[in-house]
């Protein structure tokens, strides 16, 4: 067992890993531009299914649509899971939804903190309005592989966030006042992910668990599309393929596959 604050090392992570596939091949960087980019390069070079790339800090950590993921050293988790596109693994929308669910489950297991997913793949603490972002997931697909990048704010102090993020972001430490061993949390997220990606388990069970953990359902939401167009409605359910089903005020039911969601009420 390592202690909170200890650097992440190959040995300390390996000691705590309980997975069969995910993380059996591990690459640990002190600093990298982006673990998603590094994992994509490894995928092209034939890295095994289940490879995990971890970094203490990222110089160009990225969110969706080329946004920045703030990645200070030594306090958080930044990692990417590389999965080959093999027929026994579920399709891409599930992979990215389940990344957020794995973080929710692992966080509660290790710290007792109850977080929720905001569709599609933010992890938030929603006891206040607006909710605070604890983790983000960025799934990117290449021809041969899917890379699921996960950033979790673990032991980050409020003043480590840039001022514009302070009102909208949080960490496990900020919520519970207790530091968490990052190696243990990483090992647990990978274990939860492996359970969810295991096709011996019915996918529908994972989707039901996702719906239960989803803070978006039942809320009035505003969706902004890549085009800048916006829509408002009530989030009614998540379809079996991961789409958000939105009820408009005129009664129409729309299936949304991508967009930025704001919980209005
Ligand atoms: C995400 O994008 O939430 C996906 C973030 C994925 C990060 C991981 S870290 C490991 C892997 N390697 C990478 O390069 N990326 C992945 P999006 O929904 O677009 O949210 C981005 C927005 O979240 C930013 O524009 C900020 O407003 C906010 N943000 C940035 N850094 C944050 C942080 N550390 N904590 C909370 N919010 C943050």
């Amino acid at each position: 067992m390592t202690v909170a604050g200890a650097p992440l090392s190959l040995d300390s992570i390996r000691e705590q890993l309980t997975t069969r596939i995910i993380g059996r091949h591990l690459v640990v960087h002190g600093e990298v531009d982006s673990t998603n980019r590094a994992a994509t390069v490894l995928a092209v070079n034939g890295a095994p299914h289940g490879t995990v790339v971890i970094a203490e800090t990222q110089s160009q950590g990225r969110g969706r649509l080329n946004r920045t993921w703030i990645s200070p050293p030594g306090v958080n988790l930044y990692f990417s899971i590389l999965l080959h596109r093999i027929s026994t693994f579920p399709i891409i929308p599930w992979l990215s939804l389940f990344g957020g669910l794995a973080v929710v489950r692992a966080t509660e297991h290790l710290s007792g903190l109850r977080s929720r997913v905001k569709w599609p793949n933010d992890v938030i603490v929603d006891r206040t309005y607006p909710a605070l972002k604890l983790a983000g997931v960025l799934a990117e697909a290449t021809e041969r592989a899917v890379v699921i990048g996960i950033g979790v704010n673990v032991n980050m102090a409020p003043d480590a966030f840039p001022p514009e993020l302070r009102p909208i972001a949080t960490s496990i430490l900020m919520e519970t006042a207790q530091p968490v061993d990052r190696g243990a949390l990483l090992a647990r997220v990978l274990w939860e992910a492996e359970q969810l990606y295991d096709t011996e388990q019915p996918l529908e069970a994972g989707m039901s668990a996702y719906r239960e953990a989803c803070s978006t359902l039942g809320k009035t939401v505003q969706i902004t599309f890549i085009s800048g167009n916006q829509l408002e409605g009530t989030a009614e359910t998540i379809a079996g393929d991961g789409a958000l089903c939105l009820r408009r005020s005129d009664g129409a039911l729309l299936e949304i596959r991508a967009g930025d969601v704001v919980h209005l009420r």
Side-chain angles (χ1 to χ4, degrees):
M1 189 74 175
T2 53
V3 287
L8 289 168
S9 73
L10 210 54
D11 290 343
S12 69
I13 298 167
R14 279 223 178 97
E15 256 172 43
Q16 309 196 58
L17 265 188
T18 52
T19 46
R20 282 180 301 112
I21 302 167
I22 296 180
R24 284 291 133 201
H25 183 239
L26 270 179
V27 179
V28 182
H29 291 282
E31 176 173 338
V32 75
D33 48 3
S34 151
T35 58
N36 264 35
R37 202 204 53 83
T40 304
V41 171
L42 289 177
V44 171
N45 292 324
H49 180 64
T51 294
V52 172
V53 181
I54 304 149
E56 281 285 5
T57 183
Q58 302 181 111
S59 54
Q60 291 171 55
R62 56 195 199 213
R64 293 175 299 150
L65 307 173
N66 285 327
R67 293 179 194 132
T68 300
W69 188 256
I70 302 293
S71 310
V75 284
N76 291 337
L77 285 175
Y78 319 106
F79 61 98
S80 300
I81 305 171
L82 186 164
L83 302 173
H84 290 175
R85 287 177 180 244
I86 54 176
S87 57
T88 51
F89 266 64
I91 59 167
I92 294 164
W94 282 321
L95 295 175
S96 75
L97 297 184
F98 286 177
L101 181 56
V103 172
V104 167
R105 288 177 164 181
T107 300
E108 182 159 13
H109 181 79
L110 273 152
S111 70
L113 174 64
R114 296 209 58 191
S115 57
R116 308 191 77 196
V117 276
K118 182 178 131 202
W119 186 91
N121 42 25
D122 278 0
V123 177
I124 59 170
V125 177
D126 66 356
R127 59 180 172 70
T128 54
Y129 184 87
L132 304 173
K133 186 155 166 171
L134 183 73
V137 181
L138 174 67
E140 296 179 301
T142 67
E143 205 180 306
R144 296 181 44 208
V146 180
V147 170
I148 301 144
I150 301 182
V152 190
N153 300 328
V154 186
N155 296 324
M156 193 165 172
D159 56 6
F161 286 105
E164 68 278 12
L165 287 188
R166 282 178 207 158
I168 55 166
T170 193
S171 68
I172 299 177
L173 177 69
M174 284 160 65
E175 294 298 315
T176 64
Q178 294 291 326
V180 168
D181 175 6
R182 290 178 300 148
L185 181 63
L186 173 68
R188 187 69 190 195
V189 176
L190 298 182
W191 183 81
E192 295 287 0
E194 191 162 281
Q195 310 311 301
L196 286 162
Y197 298 155
D198 181 354
T199 44
E200 311 272 299
Q201 310 287 326
L203 278 175
E204 199 35 52
M207 279 309 291
S208 301
Y210 180 87
R211 290 184 193 104
E212 254 168 58
C214 185
S215 165
T216 308
L217 291 182
K219 292 209 164 69
T220 303
V221 298
Q222 182 185 60
I223 313 227
T224 306
F225 297 100
I226 236 177
S227 60
N229 289 348
Q230 293 187 322
L231 263 186
E232 243 182 74
T234 305
E236 205 161 276
T237 189
I238 316 279
D241 67 355
L244 179 68
C245 302
L246 190 76
R247 182 73 68 182
R248 304 287 320 273
S249 54
D250 63 5
L253 191 65
L254 302 181
E255 292 202 347
I256 313 290
R257 295 210 150 65
D260 275 318
V261 174
V262 174
H263 292 169
L264 295 176
R265 49 192 178 271

